[in-house]
Amino acid sequence: MIRLLLAEDQGMMRGALALLLNLEPDIEVVAQAGTAAEAMEAAREVRPDVALLDIEMPDGSGLDTAAMLREQVPDCRVLILTTFGRPGYLRQAMEAGAAGFLVKDGPVEQLAVAVRRVLAGHRVIDPALAAAALAAGPNPLTCRERHVLTAAADGATIADIAARLHLSESTVRNYLSAAIGKTGTRNRIEAALSARANGWI
């Protein structure tokens, strides 16, 4: 039996996925989690073969959880399942050690096949998303530009961002200007939207 950990923050979705996957003759959902912290605790306790992780969880991301699993439960293979099919997320997932990345609109049979394939040592990536990731190219933003752009996304002023990130206002302006140029947008709001759409922040 393939022992599966399922981490999904929406209870109804988590329950439905567990029910459907448990119908497979060779898959057993041995733990369910609604948060990243619960997923890590369950993974350390039950040592699953495969962890099926959502990206968006209330206390952290499935991408961060994937990286922690690689360090703390190295025998566990990670499959990311998300609503957010963004090229940048795919790149981050692969960098975090995930073996697969699928979007939630596929059939459950495809998901079961993906679970089996990642356990067998294969990579499983949604083909349309893989093509989009190749077309989008790597994330052009530096770590600091990402932080500043994330802080600007909610409409914060330059002064607010500078105070929040412990930077001077001129430094914040420079980072925002660089991010706007790299995203090919007209202002910081557009830059933040573009970066989010690509999964860069």
Side-chain angles (χ1 to χ4, degrees), residues 149-186:
L149 211 49
T150 300
D154 62 1
T157 66
I158 298 288
D160 291 338
I161 297 166
R164 192 181 313 166
L165 299 179
H166 309 291
L167 298 170
S168 72
E169 291 186 25
S170 63
T171 299
V172 168
R173 284 190 188 89
N174 288 339
Y175 282 131
L176 286 173
S177 177
I180 290 165
K182 288 178 180 179
T183 55
T185 53
R186 295 175 298 179

Side-chain angles (χ1 to χ4, degrees), residues 75-104:
D75 292 334
C76 178
R77 306 282 288 166
V78 173
L79 179 59
I80 300 287
L81 181 67
T82 182
T83 305
F84 305 101
R86 297 173 181 159
Y89 281 169
L90 172 58
R91 286 183 180 276
Q92 289 176 53
M94 297 300 106
E95 289 166 5
F101 194 103
L102 296 175
V103 289
K104 288 179 181 174

Side-chain angles (χ1 to χ4, degrees), residues 113-134:
V113 168
V115 168
R116 295 181 190 107
R117 285 182 53 78
V118 298
L119 186 60
H122 301 288
R123 282 203 184 272
V124 179
I125 299 170
D126 180 272
L129 189 55
L134 287 172

